[in-house]
Amino acid sequence: MTSISHSDIITSTVKKLSDPESFKNLSHQHREGEPMPSSEELNDFINLARAILFPGFFGNSTINSRTLNYHIGVKVERMYELLVEQILAGMCYECAAKDVTHFNEYQEKAMDKAASFIEKLPELRRILGTDVLAAYNGDPAAQSTGEVIFCYPAIRAITNYRLAHELLLLDVPLIPRMITEMAHSETGIDIHPGATIGEFFTIDHGTGVVIGATAIIGKNVKLYQGVTLGAKSFPLDEEGNPIKGIPRHPIIEDDVVIYSNATILGRITVGQGATIGGNIWVTEDVAPGARIIQSKAKK
Amino acid sequence: MTSISHSDIITSTVKKLSDPESFKNLSHQHREGEPMPSSEELNDFINLARAILFPGFFGNSTINSRTLNYHIGVKVERMYELLVEQILAGMCYECAAKDVTHFNEYQEKAMDKAASFIEKLPELRRILGTDVLAAYNGDPAAQSTGEVIFCYPAIRAITNYRLAHELLLLDVPLIPRMITEMAHSETGIDIHPGATIGEFFTIDHGTGVVIGATAIIGKNVKLYQGVTLGAKSFPLDEEGNPIKGIPRHPIIEDDVVIYSNATILGRITVGQGATIGGNIWVTEDVAPGARIIQSKAKK
Amino acid sequence: MTSISHSDIITSTVKKLSDPESFKNLSHQHREGEPMPSSEELNDFINLARAILFPGFFGNSTINSRTLNYHIGVKVERMYELLVEQILAGMCYECAAKDVTHFNEYQEKAMDKAASFIEKLPELRRILGTDVLAAYNGDPAAQSTGEVIFCYPAIRAITNYRLAHELLLLDVPLIPRMITEMAHSETGIDIHPGATIGEFFTIDHGTGVVIGATAIIGKNVKLYQGVTLGAKSFPLDEEGNPIKGIPRHPIIEDDVVIYSNATILGRITVGQGATIGGNIWVTEDVAPGARIIQSKAKK
Amino acid sequence: MTSISHSDIITSTVKKLSDPESFKNLSHQHREGEPMPSSEELNDFINLARAILFPGFFGNSTINSRTLNYHIGVKVERMYELLVEQILAGMCYECAAKDVTHFNEYQEKAMDKAASFIEKLPELRRILGTDVLAAYNGDPAAQSTGEVIFCYPAIRAITNYRLAHELLLLDVPLIPRMITEMAHSETGIDIHPGATIGEFFTIDHGTGVVIGATAIIGKNVKLYQGVTLGAKSFPLDEEGNPIKGIPRHPIIEDDVVIYSNATILGRITVGQGATIGGNIWVTEDVAPGARIIQSKAKK
Amino acid sequence: MTSISHSDIITSTVKKLSDPESFKNLSHQHREGEPMPSSEELNDFINLARAILFPGFFGNSTINSRTLNYHIGVKVERMYELLVEQILAGMCYECAAKDVTHFNEYQEKAMDKAASFIEKLPELRRILGTDVLAAYNGDPAAQSTGEVIFCYPAIRAITNYRLAHELLLLDVPLIPRMITEMAHSETGIDIHPGATIGEFFTIDHGTGVVIGATAIIGKNVKLYQGVTLGAKSFPLDEEGNPIKGIPRHPIIEDDVVIYSNATILGRITVGQGATIGGNIWVTEDVAPGARIIQSKAKK
Amino acid sequence: MTSISHSDIITSTVKKLSDPESFKNLSHQHREGEPMPSSEELNDFINLARAILFPGFFGNSTINSRTLNYHIGVKVERMYELLVEQILAGMCYECAAKDVTHFNEYQEKAMDKAASFIEKLPELRRILGTDVLAAYNGDPAAQSTGEVIFCYPAIRAITNYRLAHELLLLDVPLIPRMITEMAHSETGIDIHPGATIGEFFTIDHGTGVVIGATAIIGKNVKLYQGVTLGAKSFPLDEEGNPIKGIPRHPIIEDDVVIYSNATILGRITVGQGATIGGNIWVTEDVAPGARIIQSKAKK
């Protein structure tokens, strides 16, 4: 090929790729000046949240009793501004086709949602404190709660989930999923923001854990790496596609432990205090206190 | 220890580490001015590809019908330049020992390969469109195809795979594997660029999925997290090492679903429309339409 | 809500979040000017180590026989300085409550530990060379040892582990775990720095692998993705929490292969040359040379 | 001093600095979400302008006849968006005290002004072309017009001035001055955006040149470093402050040359073709074609 | 030349450049871990100072009455930490040869000096407020005090000078000069930190202004661009070098105006209310209220 | 205006700006893959040079006698690579129109020139050492030679000039001017790389100094701010443009001092040991040892 023909290929390929027919359903039309929600901004949001919730561990500021409130004040205000912008971007993503004249109304809603979220931060700190304690108590290798907060991927994934879940409860679109996917990429732990999870929750190691959108998890539950709380099969609509919004993931009651790579599928209930051994496939209810393991290996 | 002795340790360690004998087979001699392929550059390549294939979702540009072709034009041209440079770096990595006088010839080949890749972009957009549709239709939690494109790790992994596979078909060395490993790190999904995968392919959650170099996957196949399509054992050569290049991974026919953590090993065939339950170990052919699950757990 | 009430919410939330009672056990008080160990700095440490151990593959310098020792000299010196600072930060994290007057003593210890670590680099290069060879020989898809060094996530995870393990042997707190968690996030491979692992070690694909703190692994062992070498149950202390520091993970003898998603739990021994099939749950000793696989799937 | 007293000093100083009385007239109250115009953004604006006006010299894109219009398209669109945002910020700076309900009206005006500016770019390129030619022809040290465009500070300063002047004509507040001050800092040439300057204008070396807000300069004028076209004295208002807005700087007619460090003050006229020698102080009209120099030095 | 000979040149040049004899008096030996003062850090210091002194104009935070004190608190604390580090670096630069055992003593002094500087910030804001007012009142082109604060190079240069002068009064070495040189580079205004300058000081345009180390300037003085307040000649010591520390720059009394490019040299006094015309060379006392200008130009 | 019409304006303006006729002589056509010389790269070159020439003052490395040669080795090698690339870019800028087949020949020449430059570094260090000494001895405000090296703008400007002058002697196009313009922008001192300047050269304060391309300056010369060594008038060619390449700037003999804002024009000679007072305009020879000053000011 010659340099001319390379140039021809570029020109003709650009023409094909610019044909609207070729990107139908694969592109997004922006309203004037309204960007998509931004991964970079949401990453800043997570870093702000970690620095606010666990003072002195994250963020590069030093803390002492006299200046702590300055730092928290600046970070909470920054979080509010960032959230207003990102929530608005999420709402505009969904409303792209709708009447532009409602923009001011959306902006007010975004400000309300952001303020409501800020108001939840003290309770989020309290419940994450129970998760930290559960991780520390449950792991003989943990040296201190500080090491758990600072190093354990599970705390990062659960923090992202609890933040995202609050945003989902406030009807914020798109962003909750982005936040849990950020933790998924970082830790290999995939918790859908729609799941409901009680306090003192912990995950050991965690890579490969999947918790579905309608799962309900009680207090004091512990999961190991590779555990799936998934859906078994989906009722199909008339066109053969899964019907959305139906409860389809397990209910895990209080004090349950599930070992590595176990797969729990469907709207079944794992009763209080049950223990599920590793590498098994569970699609029926498990009685409270039961202990089930894989059938013996073949030699 | 004293500060002097620290300095001695540094000096003597540097001497040991600079001994060529100590890094035989662990170092790489560069030709004048020829760097290794660059992860940063290839990351830019992926970002360009996403922005070109799914206009308006990636890249920080806004799009409208009048200016879209400017943006695609600039990005395609930039991709061409970047690819020429990286393909050349990949070729030079392999040819390090060879005669330097062939450099101009390599450069022309790199330009040809880059142009040929560019030419494939419209078809890559079409087939990735089928993957997006499959993910959307198969997941009751998906709100829109936009959410799938923007948030789902499987789409990122499959996009990287399809780009890398095209480069592999063009005999580009090293870079295809780097591109799929970037997705592996980001998503936990490890698809070898040598695998052959049909349209409407989807992976749910995805962490821990492994698809081997000689696997062949038909149309409309769905995998869940933790699925392995691997090799069972390797024929050894006379020195006891595995013989390279032999077909050794499964053939998965159209319309197959494989649930989480299933392990399918060896050059077996899973027949059209079969369903493989989770957490099982499959090393023999599975008949079309068959449905196999793990033997019952022990209580 | 009005703009005023948003401002009220921010102000009152900041007040709640600044209440010391609310972050008891969730915050870290710094001594004057002593930051936490830094992920960014440790990331630089890993990059320096890769560039020193595998010259020409990492770092953006070109190498030739005349200038190589300049580059290694600068990098080793930089590593020494970085390590002194980070080791000190790790020690200060632990000693926060103690008498400040011992600061100079800590600084000297940090310098000693850093120098001792530097001294181990040539041996670390040697043993990592055996791991590279094991990965290359064991994978028919590998084109060259260079590709293994440059692209394979297992080499990244094992490198981080071997560096972290040396630091742990030098009684450096916190940092070893941070370094292995960095590899965990990047590769999905979670090796505790406390584990003991022999030469010619390799992991294929790797996502989901977990190797516990007291595991002992012999020479020439190969693991596939999703393998767990974990603890079965923990002896509890009087308050019902696991007792820390007891050997609780498996011993894997020389020449063992463990296939994907197998879970090996407790202080059991897998004898020399044994093969463990995928997706199984092993909680009892396995005899040398044994070969165990999952019981047959149900159709 | 003790560490406690340092902390006291910080706390009490923060209190004093937060007293609104202390920053009256020295602070700026922002409307919700309306930042000040941004130097970083305006720097991007200048870089875009240089890349659009002098294709191939600035911006890191390569140009060829097929792809040039993609690049110019992307850059012009980006410039439009950037200008809308910055012009709005400039308008909001001035309107801070006014009724917020006019915000949408301001936004529309900002869009109009940005579009009107874009429309002037072709004419700006034409006139800057004459300035480049004048610099090249007038400097025996210039090797090519390309060297003039790429290296000469005068071209940078004149480009910034001509861009800023157009914005001033569009009644854009604050930003024109920011743009000329950026050139002032970079080149030491201080041209007020309000000045009126004809084509084929050039400045040699340039450091220390000052051209006042109401100066009028004809065609084909050349200034050397350190030349001031300033005001002599200001009519004062009743409070003893200078009255703003009165013509008070010189008129320089076509074909004038002014040598280094000459100071021309007040609303005088330097007639066509005059030459002003260096280091002199001129406060009266100079006849067309005149040639004036400093009185002889004393030995 | 061949590639080999290039390599030889590099190697032999490195050897020459590493010969200690070759860099005697041109190099700086660091104590372990003590860097030079950092331009980047001092640039941050200036930005913090601007944001603290003129709230809402600099720094990217928005301000309102409820959150202002958070922002000022965080910035003042950060400034304290930064100053301790930089002052220590400055002191260590000077003390390099001295006994290392005094390090802790130096650190305490650095903390004292930093706290004393912080304490001066409210007074610095007050006096800079008078300079802003003088610039606004004296320039018919100024639209608002805000424009003066945000855009005028003189305010930047005077701010740097006033900060540096306070540090000089605290006997901080090296750093004051670095801070005024930063303004010199940015604005072309070179004020030595040792000069003494009264309130309501202003400089118009400013490029080329030089104010020497022992100059004394009263209240309400205005300088134009290119004005030098310099030394005429230096008494020499026995070796023929200038004697350091002798008053050698002018005293400018209250209410003086000095026009562009005037040069005032030596320990002379320019009396209250005098006016000095542009481009003149003054080496003798000027009486109060006098008005001197250049002798007439020659035609 | 409506949003549609803004879009129309953008589209039609892009069309006008893409018309080749509109950017004739104002654009630069690149050969495939050959960028313009890069300001960022040349800035790195300057930083490398400062760190090599004045070890311990610049660059963030600490130095001690054992590791210094590692640092200088790495920096010299990096400088060589950077120079090859930039010299080639400079040569390609000039050769754009010529036969592409000579590319390899250009590359070899670029490598030769870079190596020749490297070879000059020890002599450059020696002569810059004399300049540092001259600045220190000549300024009563200087505390140490270290302060002069680290803070004085004149040393930065003279360093850039001496580096650029060597490159000019090696017939490197474009880059020498870029390097001196970088110093011009930073310091306000504009020394043409073509000037010839002896050892022990110093400039005090420096803003506004201009030294023309054919100026010749002896040993031990001192200039103050605002001094111009310029051309008086240019012989014109037949088209009325200045003839390039004729000696047209002053010769300044050894031991001359020239005070602030003096303007020396034309190919005149200022004899050994002469003193030129400030603010004067000199266009005729000055005898050795003479002392000239401005005629007396008018009151």
Side-chain angles (χ1 to χ4, degrees), chain F residues 39-222:
Chain F
S39 302
E40 286 74 24
E41 291 292 302
L42 292 178
N43 199 42
D44 283 357
F45 165 70
I46 297 302
N47 289 332
L48 284 168
R50 289 177 180 173
I52 290 166
L53 296 169
F54 304 116
F57 283 108
F58 301 102
N60 42 14
S61 56
T62 57
I63 65 165
N64 64 58
S65 52
R66 294 197 180 228
T67 60
L68 177 68
N69 76 318
Y70 302 152
H71 288 283
I72 290 187
V74 164
K75 288 191 171 77
V76 169
E77 194 192 21
R78 167 80 188 109
M79 181 187 272
Y80 172 72
E81 289 166 358
L82 183 159
L83 272 179
V84 170
E85 190 182 48
Q86 291 301 306
I87 291 173
L88 188 58
M91 294 169 78
C92 287
Y93 170 74
E94 291 230 323
C95 73
K98 293 182 194 159
D99 192 345
V100 162
T101 59
H102 294 285
F103 182 74
N104 284 357
E105 189 186 313
Y106 287 138
Q107 190 157 33
E108 271 174 43
K109 277 189 191 167
M111 290 165 75
D112 284 355
K113 288 175 198 291
S116 297
F117 177 84
I118 295 292
E119 215 167 3
K120 296 285 172 51
L121 285 171
E123 167 62 8
L124 280 167
R125 185 194 271 165
R126 190 198 63 75
I127 196 166
L128 282 164
T130 70
D131 300 329
V132 166
L133 213 57
Y136 173 70
N137 286 336
D139 182 0
Q143 307 284 322
S144 63
T145 53
E147 189 193 9
V148 168
I149 293 169
F150 197 54
C151 301
Y152 276 41
I155 295 302
R156 300 182 177 234
I158 296 170
T159 301
N160 278 29
Y161 155 73
R162 295 211 185 275
L163 297 166
H165 185 64
E166 283 305 324
L167 290 167
L168 193 95
L169 294 180
L170 292 164
D171 274 330
V172 172
L174 206 59
I175 290 171
R177 180 68 185 258
M178 290 176 73
I179 290 171
T180 54
E181 283 299 343
M182 284 161 59
H184 184 192
S185 178
E186 189 181 353
T187 66
I189 299 171
D190 178 0
I191 310 177
H192 195 283
T196 303
I197 304 182
E199 59 191 21
F200 291 96
F201 178 59
T202 186
I203 300 172
D204 207 4
H205 308 295
T207 308
V209 164
V210 172
I211 300 174
T214 66
I216 296 172
I217 298 179
K219 295 180 185 177
N220 199 32
V221 167
K222 179 174 190 176

Side-chain angles (χ1 to χ4, degrees), chain D residues 90-247:
Chain D
M91 293 169 78
C92 287
Y93 170 73
E94 292 230 321
C95 73
K98 292 182 195 162
D99 193 345
V100 161
T101 58
H102 294 285
F103 183 73
N104 284 358
E105 191 186 312
Y106 287 138
Q107 191 158 31
E108 271 176 43
K109 277 189 191 166
M111 292 165 74
D112 283 357
K113 287 175 199 293
S116 297
F117 178 84
I118 295 293
E119 216 166 0
K120 296 285 172 50
L121 286 170
E123 168 61 11
L124 280 167
R125 184 193 272 163
R126 189 198 63 75
I127 196 166
L128 282 164
T130 69
D131 300 330
V132 167
L133 213 59
Y136 174 70
N137 286 337
D139 181 3
Q143 307 285 321
S144 63
T145 54
E147 188 193 10
V148 169
I149 293 170
F150 197 53
C151 300
Y152 275 41
I155 295 302
R156 299 182 179 233
I158 297 171
T159 301
N160 278 29
Y161 154 73
R162 295 210 184 276
L163 297 166
H165 185 63
E166 283 305 324
L167 290 167
L168 193 94
L169 294 180
L170 291 165
D171 274 329
V172 172
L174 205 59
I175 290 171
R177 180 67 184 259
M178 291 176 73
I179 290 171
T180 54
E181 284 299 344
M182 285 161 59
H184 183 191
S185 176
E186 189 180 354
T187 66
I189 299 172
D190 178 1
I191 311 177
H192 195 284
T196 303
I197 303 181
E199 59 191 23
F200 291 96
F201 178 61
T202 187
I203 300 172
D204 207 3
H205 308 296
T207 309
V209 163
V210 172
I211 300 175
T214 66
I216 297 171
I217 299 178
K219 296 180 185 178
N220 200 32
V221 168
K222 179 175 190 177
L223 308 184
Y224 281 84
Q225 65 274 16
V227 165
T228 295
L229 305 181
K232 192 164 65 176
S233 66
F234 318 130
L236 304 181
D237 64 16
E238 296 165 3
E239 297 175 16
N241 290 327
I243 301 174
K244 313 217 163 201
I246 291 176

